[in-house]
Amino acid sequence: GRRRDDATTRDRRGEGTSSAPSDDENDARPLLEPRARDAGARARATIMRGAHPLGLVVLGATEMWERFGYYAARALLALYVTKVLRDPTFDVERVLGLRTVGKTFSNYDFAMAVNASDAVGMMERTRAAEATSAKTYGAFACLAYLTPVFGGIVADAVLGAHRSAVVGAVVMALGYGAMASEWAFLIGLALVCVGNGAFKPSISTQLSALYAKDDPKRDAGFSIFYCCINVGAFFSPLIAGTVRVYFGYGAAFASAAVGMWCALAIYALNRRHVVDAMIPASANDNDEESRSPLRRMGSNEQDFEEENGRSNGESRKSLNDMARLIRENSNAMFAVAIVCVAGIGFSMVYEQSGSTLMLFSDEHVDLHGMPTEFVAALNPLLVLSLTPAVTALWDWQARRGAEPHQMSKIAIGCALLSSSFAVLMFGALPIDSHASPTRVSVFWIVLNQIFLTAGELFTFPVALSYISKIAPDGLLSAIIGLWFGSYFFGNYFSGVLGSTYPSFDSPSGFFAALALIAGAVALVLGLARAPLAARCPT
């Protein structure tokens, strides 16, 4: 972005008076400062010459620990709910609301006594437990991604990205702590969903503000950020699974709370590096409209409090500005809608990896004595392994002018996702029923995860980078929230889809259905590639 004249004047006045801005001066500066403001800012904003801003490290480390907590809970959730509900000796009333959830999701009363020697009764209870766990997982995941829709709007119009991130982190940490206490388990799930709504779009907004919209390092920066997420996602099931084996589910859920408090500490203690690295949202910052609280995507805490104290009406008025921006940017909003719809189709299949795939691994895969949660570590490990290759491929294509449009990348991602479950369909053929004691090689899970992860890399980071690039100034947090909100529907349908897993005659039939759904999304995007590329911004 272009420097403001008054900012340049202040720079010149400050030359020679001090080697770096004081803390007071940092607090008084707008949140979105040019990265090349002065020598001190350049040093703080850059990891190495010509590389990414230091704020990427701060936000990446914050998100790494936040995802450590989320993926620990995710790896444990379906297994925990299945275990306690399948056990005929477990008193379901010990968990507030769980009996009601079970009746709602599976039409089965888990308070009903069942003799463990009753094969038919136990089979019915097991099927109800698996259906309930799949829908509970889907509800948790979908609500965790619905709340960012509202959280992004609140961040843009009322709180600002920084305050929203802090509030969200605290609420999530309290939620994981509640999950560790058996009685308040479902209350904890709800708190995590609410906190995630405030946290996710705010962090992504600040990440986007580190790069100019035409910065060639922008996509790579988002991919690096995605790798940071997966560092936390890799270690969390390993640690949570080990803690669960030795200390039980309560302690394992508590480890998620520890990760969230670590995320908050890193973010709060290093916030200034993010502030220093941010760049103007608009090239014309002298324009009054671009200098509004909404247009600037927030200000630093002191400026925000002063403006908010003078007139809360401006925050309310910004909602009208958002509606106007939507009308004025119809092509961009059309592209966002297409990406979100594709994301729904992708997510409903992809999220089976956290529910039905975990149940399949627990019951039908030879894990050689390892905890089932370790399966959840394969995906983030492969993200870390495959990301350099994928980004190198895109760089090679870009240098030759052959890099696919973002919509084409998403279509490729859906095709790879379809292939991942086609592979697992063949691997599961020896298992003729859910009750079969047959266990297949872990090789099939590894192969499934390789294709699934490659599809993920062609979809999720590309979609997030694309919509944040085409989003009009002043709608960034709301549109990022809308993208995460598309996960709501994807995860909702993943829960509905996962609940049908016990009704299939065999696991391979279920995996075939997943492959067909993802393949259909890829086919539609592929056929519509030309008209989409013509209308959607690049």
Side-chain angles (χ1 to χ4, degrees):
R2 198 171 57 206
R3 291 185 180 178
R4 291 183 354 203
D5 293 339
D6 57 342
T8 306
T9 302
R10 286 198 300 272
D11 285 347
R12 290 172 178 169
R13 288 175 181 172
E15 291 177 355
T17 59
S18 62
S19 59
S22 67
D23 290 340
D24 290 341
E25 289 170 336
N26 279 335
D27 290 341
R29 294 190 324 213
L31 179 62
L32 304 180
E33 285 286 344
R35 280 185 287 162
R37 184 179 180 85
D38 53 30
R42 284 195 298 270
R44 286 190 298 273
T46 307
I47 301 173
M48 60 186 69
R49 187 180 302 275
H52 295 272
L54 184 57
L56 175 63
V57 176
V58 176
L59 296 178
T62 300
E63 189 73 359
M64 177 188 75
W65 280 106
E66 184 272 327
R67 291 290 91 179
F68 175 95
Y70 177 81
Y71 281 99
R74 166 182 155 140
L76 296 163
L77 180 57
L79 296 174
Y80 172 73
V81 174
T82 301
K83 173 183 175 294
V84 297
L85 293 182
R86 187 165 49 191
D87 183 1
T89 65
F90 180 78
D91 182 7
V92 72
E93 300 292 353
R94 284 161 53 183
V95 181
L96 180 67
L98 187 57
R99 182 182 180 185
T100 301
V101 168
K103 285 183 178 180
T104 303
F105 286 165
S106 64
N107 198 29
Y108 184 91
D109 187 358
F110 288 96
M112 181 175 57
V114 177
N115 193 318
S117 62
D118 180 2
V120 175
M122 285 302 300
M123 180 177 294
E124 182 183 2
R125 187 182 184 95
T126 297
R127 287 184 174 181
E130 291 179 347
T132 300
S133 71
K135 287 190 175 180
T136 301
Y137 175 87
F140 168 65
C142 75
L143 288 174
Y145 289 108
L146 172 66
T147 50
V149 176
F150 306 102
I153 293 172
V154 171
D156 269 339
V158 182
L159 289 179
H162 173 56
R163 286 184 177 180
S164 292
V166 171
V167 169
V170 171
V171 173
M172 290 175 75
L174 295 176
Y176 290 129
M179 290 174 69
S181 66
E182 189 174 70
W183 179 82
F185 175 77
L186 294 178
I187 296 175
L189 284 179
L191 288 175
V192 171
C193 293
V194 172
N196 185 76
F199 185 87
K200 289 293 290 182
S202 300
I203 292 296
S204 297
T205 294
Q206 294 175 83
L207 172 66
S208 180
L210 298 180
Y211 297 92
K213 292 190 175 184
D214 57 352
D215 191 333
K217 296 190 294 292
R218 184 182 181 90
D219 280 0
F222 273 80
S223 292
I224 292 170
F225 181 74
Y226 205 65
C227 281
C228 293
I229 291 174
N230 283 278
V231 170
F234 169 67
F235 285 107
S236 63
L238 300 181
I239 294 174
T242 302
V243 171
R244 190 267 302 169
V245 168
Y246 289 100
F247 303 103
Y249 278 100
F253 283 118
S255 69
V258 172
M260 195 65 242
W261 287 119
C262 289
L264 179 59
I266 290 171
Y267 178 75
L269 294 176
N270 297 280
R271 168 65 179 161
R272 70 183 181 87
H273 295 301
V274 180
V275 172
D276 288 340
M278 284 181 172
I279 62 174
S282 172
N284 185 16
D285 286 347
N286 284 319
D287 181 73
E288 285 300 316
E289 184 179 8
S290 71
R291 294 181 58 187
S292 71
L294 178 64
R295 277 292 213 174
R296 291 179 324 191
M297 294 163 26
S299 63
N300 69 14
E301 290 72 43
Q302 178 180 341
D303 289 343
F304 184 93
E305 289 173 1
E306 289 176 358
E307 291 175 1
N308 205 38
R310 284 196 301 266
S311 176
N312 284 327
E314 291 185 7
S315 295
R316 299 187 186 95
K317 182 181 178 182
S318 64
L319 293 174
N320 293 328
D321 295 336
M322 294 170 71
R324 175 180 54 80
L325 288 171
I326 290 173
R327 293 191 300 269
E328 293 175 353
N329 295 273
S330 59
N331 278 351
M333 298 309 298
F334 173 76
V336 169
I338 294 298
V339 170
C340 289
V341 170
I344 292 171
F346 188 94
S347 295
M348 66 184 292
V349 176
Y350 171 85
E351 287 298 333
Q352 299 303 317
S353 61
S355 55
T356 54
L357 195 60
M358 294 294 288
L359 297 177
F360 174 76
S361 300
D362 191 46
E363 297 168 354
H364 298 299
V365 177
D366 183 7
L367 297 175
H368 304 286
M370 294 184 296
T372 307
E373 290 89 348
F374 281 23
V375 171
L378 283 173
N379 171 251
L381 175 63
L382 288 167
V383 167
L384 297 173
S385 303
L386 296 178
T387 294
V390 172
T391 54
L393 171 65
W394 292 340
D395 288 342
W396 179 81
Q397 291 175 323
R399 287 194 299 270
R400 286 157 178 76
E403 185 176 8
H405 187 275
Q406 287 89 341
M407 292 293 185
S408 297
K409 289 181 181 179
I410 295 172
I412 293 170
C414 292
L416 289 168
L417 179 66
S418 175
S419 301
S420 73
F421 283 102
V423 164
L424 200 55
M425 175 193 68
F426 287 108
L429 285 176
I431 304 170
D432 57 6
S433 71
H434 292 285
S436 172
T438 303
R439 288 183 176 267
V440 299
S441 171
V442 71
F443 164 79
W444 293 106
I445 290 292
V446 174
L447 194 58
N448 159 267
Q449 290 296 294
I450 290 173
F451 280 97
L452 181 144
T453 303
E456 175 185 356
L457 292 174
F458 270 84
T459 303
F460 285 148
V462 170
L464 182 58
S465 174
Y466 179 51
I467 65 172
S468 66
K469 179 172 69 174
I470 66 175
D473 295 336
L475 288 176
L476 183 58
S477 286
I479 285 179
I480 289 176
L482 185 64
W483 162 246
F484 286 121
S486 71
Y487 287 19
F488 166 79
F489 295 100
N491 282 281
Y492 171 77
F493 289 120
S494 80
V496 173
L497 187 59
S499 68
T500 66
Y501 172 67
S503 65
F504 279 79
D505 292 336
S506 66
S508 61
F510 178 74
F511 297 139
L514 298 182
L516 287 173
I517 293 171
V521 176
L523 181 62
V524 170
L525 286 177
L527 294 176
R529 179 180 58 185
L532 288 176
R535 180 170 178 182
C536 297
T538 58

